[in-house]
């Protein structure tokens, strides 16, 4: 159902020549296709969204981050890093902590995947500090999870356990199954 609704929304935005709505629909479709396991189609949608957002400048950091997340998921680390670095640059220029934090937090996950544990810890700590100030509890859970992963990679197991247990508690409190599952896994 989500697929047909998003495809219809995309048609409407395209027929209205609305680049912002079209870009958002493409982003939503990329998520649907990713969730269905069709990464080729998800990447097509994400790339088209990036191209539109590069023209408009609207939410460009989100488009770059989302593309980075897709490339991370298909294990193309070099392309993922490139998109995350572009997203970080755009978000930093905006000077908006709420836009910057999700990007640096997601980048921490890639750094952990690559075994760059001290850099991952630093990125996740930076995002956590911002999200504490903003009161963004779901992102705090994800960031504590990434800090825990980074600490595990550095063989700082007691500290990692503390972070993973904090992430687990937040995930349970918020009903965030992804945080709960990943905390338990690690």
């Amino acid at each position: 159902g989500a697929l047909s609704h998003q495809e219809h929304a995309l048609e409407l935005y395209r027929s209205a020549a609305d680049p912002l709505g079209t870009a958002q629909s493409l982003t939503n479709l990329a998520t649907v296709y990713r969730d269905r396991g069709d990464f080729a189609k998800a990447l097509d949608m994400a790339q088209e969204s990036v191209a539109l957002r590069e023209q408009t400048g609207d939410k460009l950091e989100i488009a770059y981050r989302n593309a980075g997340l897709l490339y991370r998921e298909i294990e193309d680390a070099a392309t993922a890093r490139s998109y995350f670095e572009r997203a970080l640059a755009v978000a930093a220029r905006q000077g908006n902590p709420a836009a910057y934090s999700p990007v640096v937090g997601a980048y921490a996950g890639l750094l952990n995947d690559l075994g760059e544990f001290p850099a991952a810890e630093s990125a996740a700590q930076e995002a956590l500090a911002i999200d504490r100030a903003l009161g963004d509890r779901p992102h705090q859970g994800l960031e504590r999870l990434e800090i825990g992963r980074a600490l595990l990679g550095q063989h700082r197991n007691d500290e990692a356990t503390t972070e993973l247990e904090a992430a687990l508690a937040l995930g349970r409190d918020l009903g965030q199954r992804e945080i709960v599952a990943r905390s338990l896994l690690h």
Side-chain angles (χ1 to χ4, degrees), residues 95-156:
N96 178 354
Y100 180 79
S101 176
V103 175
V104 75
Y107 188 46
L110 174 67
L111 294 171
N112 269 326
D113 292 349
L114 297 175
E116 298 177 23
F117 302 118
E121 181 186 1
S122 177
Q125 289 282 8
E126 181 180 14
L128 179 60
I130 293 167
D131 285 329
R132 279 183 173 149
L134 295 173
D136 184 339
R137 294 183 69 220
H139 279 115
Q140 289 176 44
L142 291 169
E143 289 141 7
R144 299 211 60 181
L145 173 64
E146 293 304 336
I147 292 166
R149 288 182 64 208
L151 293 168
L152 281 175
Q154 296 173 74
H155 308 289
R156 294 163 51 194

Side-chain angles (χ1 to χ4, degrees), residues 7 50 107:
E7 286 174 339
V50 164
Y107 188 46

Side-chain angles (χ1 to χ4, degrees), residues 43 47 63-88 103 106-107 109-111 113-114:
L43 284 169
Q47 291 298 334
Y64 285 152
R65 184 199 69 192
N66 289 348
L69 288 168
L70 280 170
Y71 280 104
R72 175 185 172 203
E73 205 156 333
I74 63 169
E75 299 180 4
D76 181 344
T79 305
R81 184 187 297 269
S82 171
Y83 275 105
F84 278 120
E85 289 174 353
R86 285 186 260 176
L88 286 167
V103 175
Y107 188 46
L110 174 67
L111 294 171
D113 292 349
L114 297 175

